[in-house]
């Protein structure tokens, strides 16, 4: 179901760009592995999550439904924009003049716009009774802030990743709260909005502890 896809999205996609990256840039050796993780998440993980949250094609041949499941994420502006970004980067053509200024302004507006949309939703929507959503929100928080870091560090251990800078950057990457983009995407598909907004708020509060722990342990 789309609700399950939105739940997976919020349990996985972190606020790496606006919260994690500024921290990683201030610690020597963390920037490169952190950005590498961002690129993998931005192209592969988000595409999978978009497929899970997108409406399903219910009729037609199984092959047609499978193709629809695979290619639907490519129509999403987030995924399509990243593909265009990689293509432009590979071309080697530089941004200059007014074009660079335009995209700089557009990029800086992304974070504040997402936060504004989240705040507007929280201010104008009546949430369901807490007892009806507490279990789902708590499960998202436990998965995002607890299970995901344990899985990531365990995997790194078995893969032989011993460099403390890589382990620190990885831990920071998975310990950041659910990203505001989760709410933006849930709103786009009109599914799981209340749960996503509440989970972003809760995990952001919890990230004060998780990020502080990462910096003490690896910083």
């Amino acid at each position: 179901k789309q609700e399950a896809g939105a739940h997976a999205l919020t349990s996985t996609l972190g606020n790496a760009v606006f919260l994690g990256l500024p921290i990683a840039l201030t610690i020597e050796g963390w920037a490169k592995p952190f950005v590498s993780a961002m690129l993998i998440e931005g192209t592969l993980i988000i595409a999978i999550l978009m497929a899970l949250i997108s409406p399903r094609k219910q009729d037609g041949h199984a092959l047609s439904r499978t193709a629809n499941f695979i290619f639907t994420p490519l129509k999403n502006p987030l995924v399509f924009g990243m593909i265009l970004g990689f293509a432009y980067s590979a071309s080697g053509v530089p941004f200059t003049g007014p074009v660079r200024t335009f995209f700089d302004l557009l990029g800086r507006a992304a974070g504040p716009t997402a936060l504004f949309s989240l705040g507007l939703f929280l201010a104008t929507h009546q949430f369901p009774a807490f007892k009806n959503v507490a279990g789902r929100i708590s499960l998202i928080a436990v998965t995002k802030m607890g299970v995901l870091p344990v899985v990531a560090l365990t995997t790194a251990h078995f893969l032989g990743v011993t460099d403390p800078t890589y382990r620190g950057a990885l831990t920071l990457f998975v310990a950041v709260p659910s990203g505001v983009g989760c709410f933006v995407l849930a709103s786009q598909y009109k599914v799981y909005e209340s749960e996503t907004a509440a989970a972003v708020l809760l995990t952001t509060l919890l990230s004060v502890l998780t990020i502080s722990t990462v910096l003490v342990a690896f910083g």
Side-chain angles (χ1 to χ4, degrees):
K1 294 182 178 181
Q2 285 181 267
E3 290 80 4
H7 186 97
L9 171 75
T10 316
S11 301
T12 308
L13 187 62
N15 192 1
V17 176
F18 302 115
L19 182 58
L21 183 58
I23 297 174
L25 291 174
T26 64
I27 303 177
E28 185 177 359
W30 284 27
K32 181 179 178 180
F34 194 91
V35 171
S36 298
M38 285 175 56
L39 293 175
I40 294 171
E41 180 181 68
T43 52
L44 178 62
I45 304 302
I46 289 181
I48 294 173
L49 293 170
M50 286 301 93
L52 294 176
I53 197 175
S54 299
R56 305 290 192 273
K57 184 178 181 181
Q58 302 296 335
D59 54 354
H61 192 273
L63 185 60
S64 174
R65 295 199 304 272
T66 302
N68 181 75
F69 180 79
I70 294 174
F71 290 108
T72 292
L74 299 179
K75 302 176 184 178
N76 185 281
L78 187 62
V79 178
F80 185 67
M82 290 180 182
I83 294 174
L84 287 180
F86 273 112
Y88 183 85
S89 178
S91 72
V93 179
F95 273 132
T96 56
V99 175
R100 181 183 180 88
T101 301
F102 171 77
F103 282 105
D104 280 344
L105 291 172
L106 196 64
R108 291 175 188 150
T113 302
L115 289 172
F116 179 81
S117 67
L118 175 62
L120 187 63
F121 179 87
L122 292 172
T124 58
H125 285 70
Q126 182 176 359
F127 279 81
F130 181 74
K131 63 180 181 180
N132 295 334
V133 296
R136 284 169 280 180
I137 296 171
S138 299
L139 183 58
I140 289 173
V142 169
T143 303
K144 180 67 188 74
M145 311 303 285
V147 175
L148 193 60
V150 170
V151 170
L153 285 174
T154 302
T155 303
H157 173 74
F158 282 110
L159 291 177
V161 179
T162 57
D163 190 328
T165 59
Y166 277 71
R167 292 173 69 90
L170 172 65
T171 308
L172 175 65
F173 182 79
V174 294
V176 294
S178 301
V180 180
C182 299
F183 169 75
V184 174
L185 294 170
S187 299
Q188 178 182 348
Y189 293 105
K190 304 296 181 185
V191 58
Y192 224 60
E193 292 176 274
S194 296
E195 291 87 345
T196 301
V200 170
L201 181 60
L202 176 59
T203 55
T204 299
L205 294 175
L206 292 175
S207 70
V208 175
L209 297 176
T210 58
I211 292 177
S212 298
T213 301
V214 171
L215 294 179
V216 170
F218 296 97

